[in-house]
């Protein structure tokens, strides 16, 4: 029962992230939606998988996948954001301050 | 004139502190401790990936991990802070520090998702790129801090620059609350800065 609730929560977060990628105004805010919801949704779904499988070596491997998502997702989003700033893409008009450069 | 002199003296103190910390940073922990830390991490990964508790793979893994940790200890454990008692710090790290970080982290990620969901629905965003300062110096520690900032609510690290006091991070913040560097640093970093200070330079 708990695993179905976790799966549902993960899918909801993923859908909200996809909506955010469409609705937000510029590259940087879109990256926020994409990365945060990716991490949260995959945590929820993988924890649901662990609950469904029970304690064992396979669930340890699922936790390893979770750890890799944790450490690789920020690196990818950081590289994308920095590359777009270096390339000269301006933040949207709503932006308050730009201390970089 | 006197103001100028004070400024120069402050600057000189900062430079001296920087050089001293760089000298300290070169030392780190001892070589056998580095090898031990690398071996433990590699062996844990091996056990998880093998996925069985039979004797032959465990013995083979111990041999391979020993060889690898002797070859590569300086890549992995270079940035760990030297301390008085090595084993008590290792036990503290496994049983106290890691659960503490996981606990902080779990709540932050839940908060991040709720926040992003609210921003998506209401579009009440207020984005901006702010600069925050940290006193961490080593590459491992700054990488970990930048990754954790990217995972926390509404912040995304853009770039890192080295300064005399440590490092400066440029962070894209989706809902800017303050423009001052210190206050922004306190809000964005939370307790993670101090947590990393216990382990890394």
């Amino acid at each position: 029962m708990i695993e179905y609730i976790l799966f549902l929560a993960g899918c909801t977060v993923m859908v909200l992230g996809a909506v955010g990628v469409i609705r937000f105004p510029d590259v940087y805010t879109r990256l926020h939606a994409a990365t945060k919801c990716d991490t949260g949704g995959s945590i929820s779904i993988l924890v649901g998988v662990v609950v469904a499988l029970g304690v064992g070596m396979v669930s340890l491997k699922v936790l390893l996948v979770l750890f890799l998502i944790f450490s690789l997702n920020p690196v990818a989003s950081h590289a994308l954001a920095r590359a777009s700033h270096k390339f000269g893409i301006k933040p949207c008009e709503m932006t308050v301050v730009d201390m970089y450069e | 004139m006197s103001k100028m002199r004070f400024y120069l003296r402050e600057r000189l103190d900062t430079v001296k502190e920087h050089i001293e910390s760089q000298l300290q940073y070169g030392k780190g922990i001892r070589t056998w401790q580095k090898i031990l830390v690398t071996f433990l991490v590699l062996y844990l990964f091996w056990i998880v990936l093998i996925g069985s508790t039979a004797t032959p793979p465990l013995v083979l893994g111990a041999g391979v991990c020993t060889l690898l940790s002797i070859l590569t200890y300086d890549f992995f454990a270079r940035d760990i802070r030297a301390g008085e008692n090595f084993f008590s710090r290792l036990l503290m790290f496994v049983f106290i520090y890691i659960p503490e970080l996981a606990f902080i982290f779990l709540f932050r990620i839940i908060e991040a998702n709720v926040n992003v969901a609210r921003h998506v629905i209401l579009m009440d965003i207020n984005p901006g790129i702010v600069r925050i300062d940290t006193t961490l110096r080593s590459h491992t520690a700054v990488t970990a801090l930048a990754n954790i900032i990217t995972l926390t609510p509404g912040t995304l690290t853009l770039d890192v620059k080295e300064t005399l006091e440590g490092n400066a991070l440029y962070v894209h913040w989706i809902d800017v609350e303050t423009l001052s560097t210190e206050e922004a640093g306190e809000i964005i970093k939370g307790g993670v800065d101090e947590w990393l200070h216990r382990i890394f330079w």
Side-chain angles (χ1 to χ4, degrees):
Chain A
M1 191 59 211
I2 302 170
E3 63 258 36
Y4 293 115
I5 296 170
L6 284 168
F7 288 155
L8 196 66
C11 291
T12 316
V13 170
M14 290 279 199
V15 169
L16 277 173
V19 173
V21 170
I22 299 169
R23 281 196 71 185
F24 277 138
D26 67 344
V27 180
Y28 309 102
T29 42
R30 281 180 177 167
L31 272 173
H32 275 285
T35 55
K36 298 298 183 303
C37 295
D38 227 26
T39 326
S42 50
I43 288 168
S44 194
I45 291 171
L46 288 176
V47 170
V49 170
V50 171
V51 170
L53 286 174
V55 180
M57 276 298 179
V58 183
S59 23
L60 258 181
K61 279 184 194 175
V62 172
L63 288 181
L64 186 68
V65 171
L66 196 60
F67 172 72
L68 288 179
I69 289 175
F70 259 34
S71 47
L72 296 183
N73 200 348
V75 176
S77 63
H78 153 73
L80 282 171
R82 185 168 178 273
S84 38
H85 205 287
K86 291 270 175 200
F87 186 66
I89 297 171
K90 292 271 173 289
C92 65
E93 314 87 61
M94 293 160 101
T95 303
V96 185
V97 61
D98 187 354
M99 294 189 191
Y100 187 45
E101 294 303 87
Chain B
M1 187 63 204
S2 57
K3 232 177 204 176
M4 183 75 187
R5 202 171 288 156
F6 274 125
Y7 174 74
L8 282 178
R9 180 177 291 168
E10 264 176 32
R11 198 77 185 152
L12 203 66
D13 284 344
T14 331
V15 172
K16 202 184 277 174
E17 212 173 276
H18 178 68
I19 290 171
E20 275 173 7
S21 70
Q22 286 287 325
L23 287 174
Q24 280 288 320
Y25 169 51
K27 287 177 193 160
I29 53 175
R30 290 163 196 274
T31 306
W32 65 270
Q33 294 169 346
K34 284 181 191 172
I35 293 176
L36 185 65
V37 170
T38 317
F39 174 78
L40 288 177
V41 174
L42 285 176
Y43 201 44
L44 191 69
F45 262 87
W46 174 276
I47 291 172
V48 171
L49 284 176
I50 287 294
S52 80
T53 47
T55 316
L58 290 187
V59 174
L60 179 69
V64 173
C65 291
T66 312
L67 188 67
L68 275 179
S69 55
I70 287 168
L71 287 175
T72 63
Y73 67 91
D74 214 26
F75 295 111
F76 184 74
R78 189 182 51 202
D79 296 334
I80 297 177
R81 184 185 283 272
E84 305 94 53
N85 195 335
F86 176 68
F87 286 104
S88 70
R89 281 180 71 218
L90 199 66
L91 286 179
M92 282 276 278
F93 179 72
V94 174
F95 289 108
I96 297 175
Y97 293 170
I98 296 249
E100 192 186 338
L101 185 69
F103 193 72
I104 299 174
F105 222 57
L106 189 71
F107 283 101
R108 285 198 156 199
I109 283 178
I110 292 170
E111 200 190 336
N113 285 301
V114 172
N115 271 353
V116 171
R118 206 193 68 219
H119 290 314
V120 167
I121 295 166
L122 299 177
M123 290 305 278
D124 56 343
I125 55 172
N126 199 13
I129 299 172
V130 295
R131 177 197 149 130
I132 61 172
D133 287 324
T134 169
T135 48
L136 294 167
R137 288 175 199 278
S138 68
H139 292 176
T140 317
V142 175
T143 310
L145 182 65
N147 276 1
I148 289 172
I149 283 175
T150 305
L151 282 170
T152 47
T155 45
L156 176 69
T157 316
L158 273 179
D159 205 356
V160 179
K161 270 182 192 145
E162 214 168 54
T163 58
L164 269 182
E165 288 83 23
N167 280 285
L169 282 96
Y170 294 89
V171 176
H172 186 271
W173 201 356
I174 206 166
D175 195 10
V176 175
E177 289 167 31
T178 168
L179 292 181
S180 103
T181 304
E182 288 83 28
E183 285 176 34
E186 269 181 25
I187 297 172
I188 291 174
K189 284 185 293 188
V192 179
D193 209 14
E194 286 84 48
W195 191 89
L196 285 168
H197 249 294
R198 287 184 235 159
I199 300 163
F200 296 112
W201 281 107

